[in-house]
Amino acid sequence: MLKLSPEVSNALAQNKPVVALESTIIAHGFPYPENYQLALELEGLLWEEGVVPATIAILGGQLKVGLSEEEIHYLAQSGGVPKASLRDVPLLAALGLDGATTVAATMQIAHWAGIKVFVTGGIGGVHRAAEQTFDVSADLQALAMYSVMVVCAGAKSVLDLPKTLEVLESQGTSVIGYQTDSFPAFYLRESGLKVDYRLDGPEQIVEAFRVKERLGIPGGMVVVTPIPEEDALDGERFNAWLEQILGECAAQGITGKDVTPFILRRLHEISGGETVRANIALVKNNLKLGAQLAKAYCRAGQP
Ligand code: PSU
Ligand code: MN
């Protein structure tokens, strides 16, 4: 069921750098056609860096690692490809269906394929009021299980960030700040929270990951890098938008896996595209670091 593209398969066989990308951000994270353009641009940027892109999705029940332009276009414009997290993977595969993989499912499939670096915008986590709803993203479960470095700009303050960091600590997931002491909040450079470890070079991060592998410690590592200064949003305005949208969520009874896509879409609408621009900027910034990590991992040889 695992279908690697020839490019990804050759790169992995020859110990060449590969970076995994998720498909929920294509299908549900951005409007069309920005999502399609972004997905292709990210792949292009990786190729320029000498890194093979492996965008991951479930198509016709196959766990695809490395997509064609047509497949990316299909995910971007369809609107109807369901968001696929851990619990969806076996069902979609068994039934021959399509799924746009979240961070959790992308990590799982990347791990099965042998890919060590995965770049996304922000991870899912513990939602606000989780003490009532129990809404905790399966992204955290995946981070506890699959040995992949996940490069992100932290997580949105849509989530309860202190609780998210607590869960990561409980389950033994290391959180590393790349050239930063702070845990960033996606559109904002600061969440007011700290990371436990700041590492300033990709080689150091890779070494920590390889030691984890050598010790046989399961699970991933979160590597955070803040959105570039010039692309960050203004905190006060963002918080006002967010409060409004969380109110709409409650009023319209939006729950479960619909929460994240709803918030993203409403943010894009209310901000007149500002959040889309910031989101694109931070993903590209994450991608640069991801490419460096993938190359450093290959240079280091067998763990
Ligand atoms: N956070 C974002 N943008 C996103 C997501 C999260 O800022 O697009 C997506 C990712 O695919 C993530 C998923 O894995 O939402 C988490 O959803 P849930 O909370 O339902 O697990
Ligand atoms: Mn959820």
Side-chain angles (χ1 to χ4, degrees):
M1 275 168 272
L2 196 61
K3 269 274 178 315
L4 278 58
S5 71
E7 292 82 1
V8 170
S9 173
N10 289 337
L12 291 171
Q14 296 167 29
N15 189 35
K16 299 238 173 80
V18 178
V19 163
L21 299 166
E22 61 158 308
S23 46
T24 289
I25 70 171
I26 305 175
H28 302 287
F30 292 92
Y32 181 80
E34 282 93 337
N35 56 355
Y36 177 56
Q37 286 152 4
L38 176 65
L40 293 188
E41 202 181 343
L42 295 178
E43 294 210 340
L45 289 170
L46 286 173
W47 283 116
E48 277 170 32
E49 291 286 335
V51 175
V52 176
T55 304
I56 292 179
I58 304 175
L59 293 173
Q62 289 188 328
L63 312 180
K64 290 247 182 181
V65 183
L67 302 182
S68 67
E69 272 188 41
E70 293 71 40
E71 288 168 331
I72 290 176
H73 188 259
Y74 167 71
L75 287 167
Q77 57 73 47
S78 122
V81 176
K83 180 171 154 185
S85 193
L86 294 182
R87 67 172 177 182
D88 306 298
V89 172
L91 273 296
L92 298 176
L95 300 172
L97 298 175
D98 300 332
T101 51
T102 62
V103 168
T106 305
M107 269 191 93
Q108 181 181 57
I109 296 169
H111 175 71
W112 287 336
I115 300 173
K116 305 294 181 178
V117 181
F118 164 31
V119 171
T120 186
I123 54 169
V126 181
H127 283 258
R128 295 187 185 194
E131 64 273 25
Q132 274 121 44
T133 62
F134 276 54
D135 190 352
V136 177
S137 175
D139 292 357
L140 300 181
Q141 286 288 326
L143 280 162
M145 292 190 282
Y146 303 113
S147 190
V148 176
M149 285 176 264
V150 180
V151 183
C152 63
K156 286 201 179 70
S157 48
V158 162
L159 301 173
D160 187 319
L161 298 181
K163 287 196 184 79
T164 300
L165 288 177
E166 287 296 342
V167 172
L168 288 169
E169 179 185 350
S170 304
Q171 66 184 35
T173 305
S174 311
V175 180
I176 298 171
Y178 173 66
Q179 299 182 351
T180 181
D181 297 300
S182 314
F183 186 77
F186 204 79
Y187 302 118
L188 314 178
R189 288 173 61 86
E190 305 268 343
S191 63
L193 299 162
K194 297 281 164 217
V195 290
D196 290 324
Y197 296 94
R198 169 191 175 136
L199 297 178
D200 290 342
E203 286 78 13
Q204 288 176 296
I205 298 172
V206 162
E207 185 50 21
F209 183 79
R210 284 159 54 85
V211 167
K212 185 196 76 69
E213 286 191 310
R214 242 178 272 150
L215 294 172
I217 299 170
M221 267 187 184
V222 179
V223 181
V224 296
T225 179
I227 183 171
E229 194 109 47
E230 61 275 20
D231 300 306
L233 298 184
D234 174 71
E236 268 178 42
R237 283 174 69 215
F238 175 76
N239 287 329
W241 294 334
L242 185 56
E243 289 309 322
Q244 178 188 332
I245 295 167
L246 291 173
E248 291 174 5
C249 254
Q252 296 178 34
I254 311 257
T255 55
K257 69 190 233 179
D258 299 330
V259 170
T260 307
F262 177 82
I263 292 171
L264 291 177
R265 184 170 57 75
R266 288 294 292 137
L267 276 173
H268 296 164
E269 289 166 2
I270 295 178
S271 71
E274 243 183 87
T275 58
V276 175
R277 283 189 292 279
N279 202 337
I280 290 172
L282 69 86
V283 175
K284 286 185 186 165
N285 186 56
N286 298 347
L287 198 74
K288 277 190 249 161
L289 175 57
Q292 286 178 283
L293 292 172
K295 288 192 264 192
Y297 190 89
C298 289
R299 274 197 305 274
Q302 288 305 308

